[in-house]
């Protein structure tokens, strides 16, 4: 049993190290907390509830993510995200609309198709929560599309542009499709 646990922890460490190789700003709780504080609804001018800007921001977000593709990203990222917007997902965190656009375009290079069905939007004190189902087909496993549930935590600036965006979903489903590494991840999930 100790041996299995030791192997499991070693493999988990390897996975975490490989995850870190995806580049970009290091993902830390400190960075995330700093960005949350910088866009705190109690201290920051955010979009006014019920305004045309709020409605536009919500609709622009939904439309942008319907089909996550390079042409949409190039055309609409600067319309959706503010100049100094913060974005974080399970792979990377970036700051600024240019960095967001660059990261999003890079992610499309490994994808055949990616769509988001936004099933629900909840609002609480300047925070917007978009619940979605992602349908993703990656190039290295195009015969096996995958689906994943997730949520985006969004804060809109006064003009209705996104100033804070954090995505929450099980990113390991993508790594599970990688030969050898996928086997390790699936094994580790079964152990814990």
């Amino acid at each position: 049993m100790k041996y299995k646990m030791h192997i499991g922890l070693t493999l988990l460490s390897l996975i975490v190290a490989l995850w870190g190789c995806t580049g970009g700003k290091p993902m830390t709780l400190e960075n995330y907390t700093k960005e949350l504080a910088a866009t705190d609804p109690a201290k920051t001018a955010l979009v006014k509830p019920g305004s045309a800007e709020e409605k536009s921001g919500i609709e622009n977000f939904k439309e942008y993510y319907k089909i996550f593709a390079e042409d949409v990203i190039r055309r609409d990222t600067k319309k959706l995200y503010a100049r100094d917007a913060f974005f974080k997902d399970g792979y990377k965190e970036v700051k600024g609309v240019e960095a967001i656009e660059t990261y999003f375009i890079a992610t499309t290079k490994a994808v055949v198709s990616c769509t988001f069905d936004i099933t629900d939007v909840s609002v609480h004190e300047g925070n917007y929560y978009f619940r979605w189902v992602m349908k993703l087909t990656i190039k290295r496993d195009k015969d096996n599309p995958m689906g994943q549930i997730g949520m985006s935590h969004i804060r809109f600036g006064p003009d209705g542009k996104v100033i804070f965006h954090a995505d929450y979903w099980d990113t390991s489903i993508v790594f599970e499709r990688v030969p050898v590494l996928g086997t390790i991840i699936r094994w580790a999930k079964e152990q814990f």
Side-chain angles (χ1 to χ4, degrees):
M1 183 65 164
K2 270 186 171 182
Y3 177 72
K4 268 185 140 178
M5 183 61 87
H6 178 69
I7 288 176
L9 290 175
T10 301
L11 293 174
L12 190 57
S13 298
L14 174 64
I15 291 166
V16 170
L18 288 171
W19 234 311
C21 293
T22 59
K25 187 176 178 182
M27 292 188 298
T28 66
L29 183 57
E30 181 182 348
N31 292 338
Y32 173 75
T33 304
K34 177 183 157 207
E35 295 299 333
L36 273 176
T39 59
D40 183 340
K43 301 174 186 170
T44 307
L46 298 179
V47 71
K48 289 189 184 341
S51 68
E53 291 82 7
E54 178 192 51
K55 183 178 179 184
S56 176
I58 291 169
E59 290 309 311
N60 288 343
F61 188 87
K62 288 178 175 180
E63 190 62 32
Y64 183 88
Y65 284 98
K66 269 186 188 174
I67 299 174
F68 191 72
E70 185 173 351
D71 62 327
V72 174
I73 294 165
R74 288 190 188 281
R75 185 186 67 224
D76 295 337
T77 301
K78 290 179 180 78
K79 294 177 192 172
L80 179 64
Y81 289 92
R83 186 173 56 88
D84 292 325
F86 171 80
F87 174 83
K88 177 192 178 316
D89 66 9
Y91 299 118
K92 194 169 188 173
E93 83 184 29
V94 291
K95 178 111 171 136
V97 69
E98 298 290 340
I100 291 169
E101 183 176 285
T102 299
Y103 173 53
F104 286 179
I105 289 170
T107 64
T108 65
K109 301 302 182 196
V111 170
V112 173
S113 68
C114 181
T115 62
F116 291 85
D117 177 19
I118 296 176
T119 57
D120 183 40
V121 181
S122 297
V123 183
H124 180 71
E125 297 178 359
N127 296 289
Y128 296 75
Y129 302 95
F130 293 79
R131 191 167 49 92
W132 42 259
V133 176
M134 175 181 62
K135 293 191 173 110
L136 175 66
T137 304
I138 56 176
K139 288 181 180 175
R140 72 173 166 256
D141 196 12
K142 56 183 148 199
D143 294 330
N144 294 305
M146 58 187 102
Q148 181 67 42
I149 57 170
M151 187 204 56
S152 296
H153 174 197
I154 303 296
R155 288 180 176 165
F156 294 105
D159 59 358
K161 288 189 174 185
V162 174
I163 59 173
F164 177 91
H165 179 171
D167 278 346
Y168 306 97
W169 61 288
D170 181 4
T171 57
S172 71
I173 67 160
V174 175
F175 287 124
E176 286 179 18
R177 304 294 175 101
V178 176
V180 181
L181 183 58
T183 303
I184 294 167
I185 291 171
R186 287 187 300 276
W187 178 85
K189 281 182 169 182
E190 290 172 6
Q191 302 308 306
F192 301 102

